[in-house]
Amino acid sequence: MPPAAIRQVRWPKWSDMLQSLSQSDAMKLLIVKLGGSVITDKRKPFAIKHTVVKRLAKELKGVPGPLVIVHGGGSFGHPLALKYRIADGYREKDQLMGVSLTHLAMEKLNKYLIEALQKEGIPAIAFQPSACVLSSDGRIKSMELGPLRRILALGLVPVLYGDVVFDVKKGFSILSGDQLVSYLARKLGATRVVFGVDVDGVYTSCPKRNDRAELLRVITPSDVKLVASMEKDETGDVTGGMQAKVRELLELAKFGVEAEIVNAARANVLKEALRGKRGLGTIVTGGK
Ligand code: ADP
């Protein structure tokens, strides 16, 4: 028998919670991507930016309404995925150890993040993409979303990540956190997504390598040529860096979901963006 205090609590009926999520809260669902460049040091293998993660966990506290967190691989996932050529799909048996190692590296980073969130009182829970996604040539073909919907209805905060996923054409592939955010935003009906990276937004070219790179305040589908002209960065990402991120977000914009890419390496920027402030970085929108 549970203690009297617990017995007296009148829990809302489960069906009511699910109903309320589908009717109103889903409208306010927010998805945040914590870039690998923010939470890890991409120059060193398996290097977490401990102070940054702690600060971001504080900034994520108190976000109103349901929240989905997705994080990138940074120096955990990318070097292993590159070494074993996971994104190319199955070619030889030796890659299988690479699949195992890449996934484990991502789980370790995920676990660290979840513990940091828990310390701030956020009821975070790991959600493993490779266990519920099937991809086809690197794009999500299907994803079992039932558990995720229920997690959100309960008020838990799911934490997903870029992962090795199993692929109907290639055997396995890499699913980027960016693609995952875009997919989830559409399927779960988010109206806005916020991407935290380690630069002030999207520039005309990589700001770390080009002093004359200019910050773009808004990107719309009419900027497709500009995006194509952005060179690929050399951060060792297997998922295509900033250019691929913007392409993903332009696709999402077609469905009416607005995205903003902000500098989460600066204190309180992510916090303000998550509380609704616009124009802190680069907005990617379907608008003219
Ligand atoms: P994350 O891992 O944080 O999701 P990425 O590494 O994919 O992010 O993208 C952020 C990085 O992209 C920045 O650290 C920057 O060095 C690089 N980059 C390359 N080209 C650009 C650009 N045109 N504008 C902004 N950042 C760029």
Side-chain angles (χ1 to χ4, degrees), residues 164-191:
V164 178
V165 289
F166 299 96
D167 193 289
V168 295
K169 291 207 176 125
K170 301 200 291 188
F172 47 74
S173 187
I174 290 289
L175 168 64
S176 73
D178 299 340
Q179 187 191 151
L180 192 53
V181 170
S182 167
Y183 182 88
L184 291 176
R186 272 182 286 141
K187 292 288 177 181
L188 299 175
T191 50

Side-chain angles (χ1 to χ4, degrees), residues 33 35-37 42 198 201 203 205-208 233 237 241-242 245:
K33 159 92 194 293
S37 64
K42 284 190 172 178
D198 68 341
Y203 289 75
S205 65
C206 181
K208 289 182 186 161
D233 58 295
D237 276 19
M242 188 55 86
K245 200 185 305 295

Side-chain angles (χ1 to χ4, degrees), residues 12 20 71 73 81 161-162 215 263 266:
S20 79
H71 64 87
Y161 44 95
L215 182 63
N263 193 341
R266 289 189 200 277

Side-chain angles (χ1 to χ4, degrees), residues 78-93:
H78 292 290
L80 286 165
L82 203 61
K83 178 176 172 193
Y84 289 94
R85 300 173 66 190
I86 306 297
D88 292 348
Y90 183 86
R91 283 156 187 251
E92 56 188 27
K93 210 169 161 217

Side-chain angles (χ1 to χ4, degrees), residues 36-238:
S37 64
V38 182
I39 58 174
T40 74
D41 184 343
K42 284 190 172 178
R43 293 164 308 177
K44 292 185 230 154
F46 308 112
I48 293 177
K49 291 184 182 164
H50 302 279
T51 319
V52 175
V53 170
K54 200 172 167 186
R55 173 177 57 74
L56 289 174
K58 284 192 201 311
E59 293 187 26
L60 285 159
K61 196 177 166 180
V63 169
L67 176 70
V68 173
I69 299 175
V70 176
H71 64 87
S75 66
F76 277 70
H78 292 290
L80 286 165
L82 203 61
K83 178 176 172 193
Y84 289 94
R85 300 173 66 190
I86 306 297
D88 292 348
Y90 183 86
R91 283 156 187 251
E92 56 188 27
K93 210 169 161 217
D94 285 356
Q95 285 175 297
L96 297 182
M97 187 51 79
V99 169
S100 172
L101 288 167
T102 306
H103 175 73
L104 182 64
M106 288 310 299
E107 280 206 320
K108 285 182 180 168
L109 181 57
N110 182 260
K111 206 161 270 177
Y112 183 88
L113 207 61
I114 285 180
E115 279 177 358
L117 293 164
Q118 286 175 344
K119 281 182 193 146
E120 293 304 323
I122 300 172
I125 185 150
F127 201 86
Q128 181 185 334
S130 50
C132 55
V133 169
L134 262 187
S135 67
S136 176
D137 221 0
R139 303 297 301 176
I140 299 175
K141 178 176 148 66
S142 61
M143 180 171 184
E144 173 55 60
L145 291 169
L148 199 55
R149 287 203 168 94
R150 281 156 183 81
I151 281 172
L152 287 168
L154 282 165
L156 285 154
V157 176
V159 186
L160 299 88
Y161 44 95
D163 199 2
V164 178
V165 289
F166 299 96
D167 193 289
V168 295
K169 291 207 176 125
K170 301 200 291 188
F172 47 74
S173 187
I174 290 289
L175 168 64
S176 73
D178 299 340
Q179 187 191 151
L180 192 53
V181 170
S182 167
Y183 182 88
L184 291 176
R186 272 182 286 141
K187 292 288 177 181
L188 299 175
T191 50
R192 187 159 176 258
V193 298
V194 177
F195 279 65
V197 294
D198 68 341
V199 289
D200 285 342
V202 185
Y203 289 75
T204 44
S205 65
C206 181
K208 289 182 186 161
R209 290 188 287 129
N210 185 351
D211 289 345
R212 282 182 297 179
E214 284 172 43
L215 182 63
L216 302 162
R217 286 295 176 190
V218 180
I219 299 180
T220 68
S222 62
D223 296 315
V224 65
K225 275 199 184 133
L226 181 79
V227 175
S229 74
M230 279 166 43
E231 77 262 53
K232 291 224 169 82
D233 58 295
E234 289 162 4
T235 49
D237 276 19
V238 286

